[in-house]
Amino acid sequence: MALMTSTCSLPFTCRFFPKPLSSSLFSVTSLSYGPSLYKGLNPLQNTNEEHFTRIFDINALRVPSQHSFSLENKLRGHLLNWPRIRNIARVPGDDIDDELKEFLVNNDDDDETLTLAVLERRIYGKAEADGEKKMCSVLYRDKIAKSFNSIGYVKFENLAKISRPKKKEKWKREGKRGNGRSDMSNVEVVDQEGNGDDEDFSGLLGDDFRKRRKWSGSTRLLLLDERYTNKGIEEMPEAIKAVLKEHNEETTNLSFEIVRCKLTLFYNYWQMNEVLEVLLPQGMIVPSAFETVGHIAHLNLRDEHLPYKKLIAKVVLDKNKPKIQTVVNKIDVIHNDYRTMQLEVLAGNHSLVTTVVENGLYFNVDLAAVYWNSRLATERQRLLSCFTLNDVVCDVFAGVGPIAIAAAKKVKYVYANDLNPNAVEYLERNCVRNKLEMKIEIFNMDGRRFIDSIFASEKARPITQVVMNLPNDAAEFLDSFRGIFRNKHTDKQFTLPRIHVYGFSKAQDPEFDFHEKIRIALSEVAFEVQMHKVRLVAPGKWMLCASFVLPETVAFAKETL
């Protein structure tokens, strides 16, 4: 079975390994418990994937399959218990049909002839001295099929259907089950001679222990802890001996033996950080986190990682398929008005158009033309919890609509705006896709012009919530709210909107620093601001959200700044 397809082959050879891998047995004494790429035997074959193949010698207890689960529960703490490795392994070619198990038990010599006769009837249809006894159903159908020509099959419409093997049985015959092998690991019995028949268990199980035939029916392997490698039954802990003796007293059909196995772990077994730890130079920080946008993995690699960016991207792609199909890296900071990122495709297909599902809503996104940040999903959900059914929301920097569209499902109406025409196009598509176009009005304007227009319009609904999610520059747009109600009649009743503005701060006290920026922008001091730390975007740099009701002195101010 191939470990990986040709499209998944690793883009490196032996000469790219910063740290050489030895083909000898790695030292286990200095390593922690469990599997490791620094332990086991590395065959170092010609293909790239087998550089990550590790072979471990372990002992296993071979027991009848019907007792494997009960023994597993009683032997907890003495089994292998490695991540992603089952303690119970199948023996290649040892499975038999469930209907035949009852005829393969160990019987006394007097009943052996009878058992053989019954077994022959099940397999061949009839046994000796059966006379004209009717054949089994399978052979009977086969005989009928040979007795009729093609025209005769019309009378037996269900013959082909009932003769066709079930999918499960066909799956078993094809060898996909029972060999203990997957794309991650493989268990193989290396040596069982001399352990089952020759070893004397009478001292362990008592003098009345009767030696039985080697095996009867399906068996399983209970993978023992790596501490018990190359040990016999007498060297096992007393807990294992006690469990085996107890099971021998409870049933007369229990057979077991200690066998030596070879556990092979393939490339697909090792996790991303384990592979990168081997590939990257010693002492280098292993990149283990990335942002997922649909089928795209968005990396933010450090300068020290750039010489190995293709290698890192290929490992990320291999370990996250099929969910991840493209791996990109941000090569420059956002410094344009449209908030688009400069991305470099490192692995996979070159499509940056994807679909993101967030809180049950679908968003079409093109990372090359619009801005999206999946890490703000929790913050967006927190903000939406502040809205009510009677709110009218104004999203000044809406982007492709993660806040505006989600709010439209809850509030009365939404006004959404963005300066980027590509973002506005995707915003319109996402509104239609989520069937919310009747509750959202979309604009493509500058932020200040949009604020002046929407609050000055006589047709616009009274806005109760304003969202300004442009952390780098949003605070600079707050001066647009000075005097937005100065031309309104003072005898009318107005609802002052609640503003949620986002920003960054590198100050020692980020909340106080951002609060000062807001006061300076509004030229107002005496008003209450609620601060919320969203996340730490970089060492010493916080993203914050400030929420406050627009002061009446600011809304009716006669002068503008």
Side-chain angles (χ1 to χ4, degrees):
M1 182 185 295
L3 302 184
M4 303 176 66
T5 60
S6 58
T7 58
C8 297
S9 59
L10 297 177
F12 51 81
T13 57
C14 290
R15 58 189 178 91
F16 287 111
F17 277 87
K19 291 179 283 187
L21 299 176
S22 172
S23 61
S24 61
L25 191 67
F26 291 103
S27 175
V28 183
T29 56
S30 60
L31 296 172
S32 59
Y33 175 83
S36 172
L37 281 167
Y38 298 101
K39 294 164 61 175
L41 183 67
N42 175 24
L44 279 182
Q45 300 295 329
N46 295 328
T47 57
N48 293 328
E49 295 86 351
E50 293 188 357
H51 285 291
F52 295 92
T53 300
R54 295 294 180 272
I55 300 175
F56 300 88
D57 291 328
I58 59 173
N59 273 0
L61 187 67
R62 191 174 185 184
V63 299
S65 59
Q66 63 267 28
H67 300 288
S68 59
F69 288 103
S70 61
L71 284 172
E72 181 191 21
N73 293 330
K74 294 185 177 182
L75 293 177
R76 292 289 185 186
H78 300 283
L79 300 181
L80 195 62
N81 290 327
W82 280 4
R84 303 178 298 282
I85 298 294
R86 294 190 60 185
N87 291 327
I88 302 178
R90 294 177 177 271
V91 181
D94 194 37
D95 277 330
I96 62 172
D97 193 284
D98 294 336
E99 297 179 357
L100 299 179
K101 286 183 179 179
E102 57 181 301
F103 301 104
L104 293 177
V105 297
N106 288 317
N107 294 282
D108 296 334
D109 295 337
D110 298 339
D111 299 333
E112 191 167 337
T113 304
L114 178 60
T115 301
L116 180 61
V118 176
L119 185 59
E120 286 179 347
R121 294 191 191 102
R122 299 299 298 266
I123 298 177
Y124 304 109
K126 55 185 178 180
E128 295 181 4
D130 278 351
E132 297 298 328
K133 184 178 177 64
K134 185 178 179 181
M135 303 173 67
C136 69
S137 57
V138 176
L139 295 179
Y140 180 68
R141 288 197 302 269
D142 183 66
K143 180 179 179 181
I144 292 179
K146 293 178 180 178
S147 303
F148 290 88
N149 55 22
S150 58
I151 300 178
Y153 279 109
V154 177
K155 300 179 181 180
F156 301 93
E157 298 177 357
N158 296 325
L159 183 60
K161 181 178 179 180
I162 63 177
S163 299
R164 188 180 301 117
K166 297 180 181 179
K167 291 183 179 180
K168 185 176 181 181
E169 297 175 356
K170 182 179 179 181
W171 182 45
K172 288 182 181 180
R173 286 202 301 270
E174 288 177 353
K176 294 183 180 179
R177 182 179 180 183
N179 58 2
R181 178 163 185 165
S182 66
D183 60 345
M184 293 197 307
S185 63
N186 178 41
V187 178
E188 181 182 355
V189 177
V190 177
D191 181 20
Q192 62 186 24
E193 296 180 0
N195 289 336
D197 292 336
D198 299 336
E199 193 166 1
D200 185 15
F201 291 98
S202 59
L204 170 65
L205 303 179
D207 296 335
D208 57 344
F209 173 75
R210 181 170 57 87
K211 196 171 186 179
R212 304 176 176 87
R213 286 186 295 177
K214 187 175 183 180
W215 291 115
S216 57
S218 303
T219 60
R220 296 291 184 267
L221 297 175
L222 292 178
L223 306 183
L224 297 177
D225 192 277
E226 57 182 334
R227 297 170 295 177
Y228 310 140
T229 303
N230 299 324
K231 290 186 178 181
I233 185 65
E234 293 298 333
E235 300 176 273
M236 294 293 168
E238 293 299 326
I240 296 181
K241 297 179 182 180
V243 170
L244 296 179
K245 188 173 182 179
E246 176 186 355
H247 270 259
N248 183 72
E249 295 173 353
E250 291 178 354
T251 176
T252 59
N253 298 326
L254 178 61
S255 300
F256 61 88
E257 63 177 339
I258 301 295
V259 297
R260 188 164 61 90
C261 298
K262 181 175 67 174
L263 173 62
T264 306
L265 303 182
F266 302 114
Y267 170 73
N268 286 347
Y269 172 83
W270 307 106
Q271 294 184 335
M272 184 181 72
N273 60 327
E274 295 173 317
V275 175
L276 290 178
E277 185 180 355
V278 172
L279 295 177
L280 297 179
Q282 189 173 6
M284 180 179 291
I285 298 177
V286 176
S288 57
F290 55 86
E291 180 185 351
T292 302
V293 184
H295 71 275
I296 302 171
H298 179 200
L299 304 176
N300 285 321
L301 298 179
R302 305 186 180 193
D303 293 338
E304 60 178 348
H305 296 144
L306 295 182
Y308 309 95
K309 59 183 180 181
K310 295 285 187 180
L311 189 65
I312 295 172
K314 194 63 178 73
V315 174
V316 172
L317 187 65
D318 286 343
K319 295 303 177 182
N320 295 277
K321 280 189 174 181
K323 181 179 179 180
I324 298 299
Q325 301 177 17
T326 305
V327 181
V328 299
N329 179 44
K330 187 172 71 172
I331 59 178
D332 197 2
V333 296
I334 301 175
H335 52 72
N336 55 63
D337 294 337
Y338 290 166
R339 294 188 295 170
T340 55
M341 294 177 288
Q342 300 297 320
L343 301 175
E344 177 187 10
V345 179
L346 300 179
N349 61 57
H350 284 65
S351 174
L352 297 182
V353 179
T354 185
T355 301
V356 183
V357 182
E358 183 175 294
N359 298 324
L361 299 173
Y362 293 85
F363 299 94
N364 293 331
V365 178
D366 183 1
L367 288 187
V370 301
Y371 176 82
W372 180 272
N373 192 336
S374 297
R375 296 176 179 176
L376 296 177
T378 304
E379 170 60 19
R380 289 192 279 263
Q381 192 65 20
R382 184 198 69 85
L383 185 63
L384 292 173
S385 64
C386 302
F387 300 159
T388 64
L389 297 175
N390 297 322
D391 279 329
V392 176
V393 178
C394 174
D395 194 347
V396 184
F397 312 105
V400 297
I403 296 177
I405 295 178
K409 290 189 65 176
K410 182 177 182 179
V411 302
K412 184 184 298 184
Y413 203 74
V414 175
Y415 296 101
N417 170 75
D418 201 273
L419 180 63
N420 186 355
N422 294 317
V424 171
E425 180 182 354
Y426 277 97
L427 176 58
E428 293 174 346
R429 293 183 186 179
N430 296 331
C431 290
V432 175
R433 179 166 186 176
N434 293 284
K435 301 179 181 179
L436 294 169
E437 64 273 16
M438 301 302 294
K439 296 183 64 177
I440 301 179
E441 190 171 349
I442 301 173
F443 300 86
N444 182 203
M445 307 169 70
D446 174 73
R448 285 188 174 86
R449 183 185 171 193
F450 171 69
I451 294 173
D452 293 338
S453 301
I454 203 68
F455 280 94
S457 175
E458 296 291 340
K459 297 181 180 179
R461 308 186 187 197
I463 296 172
T464 59
Q465 304 281 352
V466 177
V467 180
M468 304 178 70
N469 188 8
L470 186 66
N472 202 42
D473 305 312
E476 301 177 4
F477 287 81
L478 289 175
D479 58 356
S480 302
F481 289 96
R482 286 193 60 84
I484 57 172
F485 290 159
R486 64 180 178 271
N487 295 327
K488 302 289 184 179
H489 297 287
T490 56
D491 55 342
K492 291 185 178 180
Q493 188 176 5
F494 295 95
T495 301
L496 295 174
R498 184 173 183 82
I499 300 176
H500 309 271
V501 58
Y502 289 83
F504 294 130
S505 178
K506 295 182 179 180
Q508 187 174 2
D509 189 349
E511 296 168 321
F512 178 80
D513 177 64
F514 191 43
H515 195 173
E516 287 297 309
K517 292 180 181 179
I518 296 174
R519 290 176 174 177
I520 294 173
L522 293 176
S523 298
E524 181 64 33
V525 177
F527 65 99
E528 183 181 357
V529 178
Q530 295 178 352
M531 286 290 177
H532 171 72
K533 286 185 176 180
V534 178
R535 67 187 188 99
L536 192 65
V537 297
K541 183 179 180 180
W542 279 95
M543 178 180 179
L544 303 102
C545 176
S547 301
F548 59 93
V549 177
L550 183 66
E552 185 175 351
T553 56
V554 176
F556 290 95
K558 296 183 179 180
E559 74 281 358
T560 58
L561 300 179

